[in-house]
Amino acid sequence: MWPPDSEPEPDPESADGPRSGRTVPGLRALLPARAFLCSLKGRLLLAESGLSFIAFICYVASSASAFLTVPLLEFLLAVYFLFADAMQLNDKWQGLCWPMMDFLRCVTAALIYFVISITAVAKYSDGAYKAAGVFGFFATIVFAIDFYLIFNEVAKFLKQGDSGNETTAHRTEEENSNSDSDSD
């Protein structure tokens, strides 16, 4: 923290081990929490970033690397959303519609991966292209599962919001109809 403390903190890796309840400074502060990584969303984001990185490496290793931009961008976006979800930036930045951004990212990634994987497997005979196509198909499946789950969550949220609006609209309609019948 700024300004720095006048007394330096003791080394957390001292002989008696790190104190419980304190975070270990350094690069570990940037890592997502284990609870998030074990959740379904954390596993999906890890799989998306891992498969995108492997596909990127395969496209780089191939003779003609025409499709390496897509896996690189999807890898960077998956890592960004991994850290954004792990650090709970969606709670801190309320102005952005996080579920919609994540949904659009997954839909476009699934479609583009599907197209370039078919092209890589069908058009090129290089082994690295074939491997990138196979990993691209796996990434397509993972991205499709992710956008399906996001769609279900958003649909459930919208149904809850619509049912509340329908009941209030129905109540006001009944009140208006009752007041009209009383005036006869």
Side-chain angles (χ1 to χ4, degrees), residues 165-183:
N165 290 340
E166 288 176 3
T167 57
T168 57
H170 185 62
R171 286 181 195 155
T172 57
E173 183 179 307
E174 285 180 356
E175 291 172 359
N176 290 337
S177 67
N178 288 341
S179 64
D180 290 341
S181 63
D182 291 340
S183 62

Side-chain angles (χ1 to χ4, degrees), residues 146-164:
D146 197 7
F147 82 72
Y148 175 75
L149 294 174
I150 294 169
F151 178 77
N152 282 342
E153 288 176 12
V154 170
K156 187 187 321 179
F157 175 74
L158 291 176
K159 277 185 180 179
Q160 290 173 353
D162 286 344
S163 65

Side-chain angles (χ1 to χ4, degrees), residues 39-132:
S39 69
L40 181 61
K41 184 64 177 177
R43 288 181 184 175
L44 283 172
L45 285 169
L46 280 175
E48 291 169 2
S49 60
L51 288 170
S52 296
F53 185 72
I54 291 171
F56 171 71
I57 296 299
C58 290
Y59 281 124
V60 167
S62 65
S63 59
S65 55
F67 301 126
L68 69 96
T69 306
V70 172
L72 177 63
L73 287 176
E74 291 304 329
F75 167 71
L76 293 174
L77 284 172
V79 168
Y80 171 73
F81 273 89
L82 175 73
F83 283 105
D85 283 345
M87 303 297 176
Q88 299 175 346
L89 292 180
N90 53 351
D91 295 334
K92 295 176 184 173
W93 296 340
Q94 295 289 328
L96 300 173
C97 185
W98 288 93
M100 185 58 77
M101 289 189 326
D102 200 16
F103 178 76
L104 290 176
R105 177 189 65 87
C106 291
V107 169
T108 56
L111 291 174
I112 292 172
Y113 262 122
F114 185 70
V115 169
I116 67 169
S117 297
I118 288 176
T119 306
V121 170
K123 188 175 180 182
Y124 298 101
S125 61
D126 189 10
Y129 262 113
K130 300 271 186 206

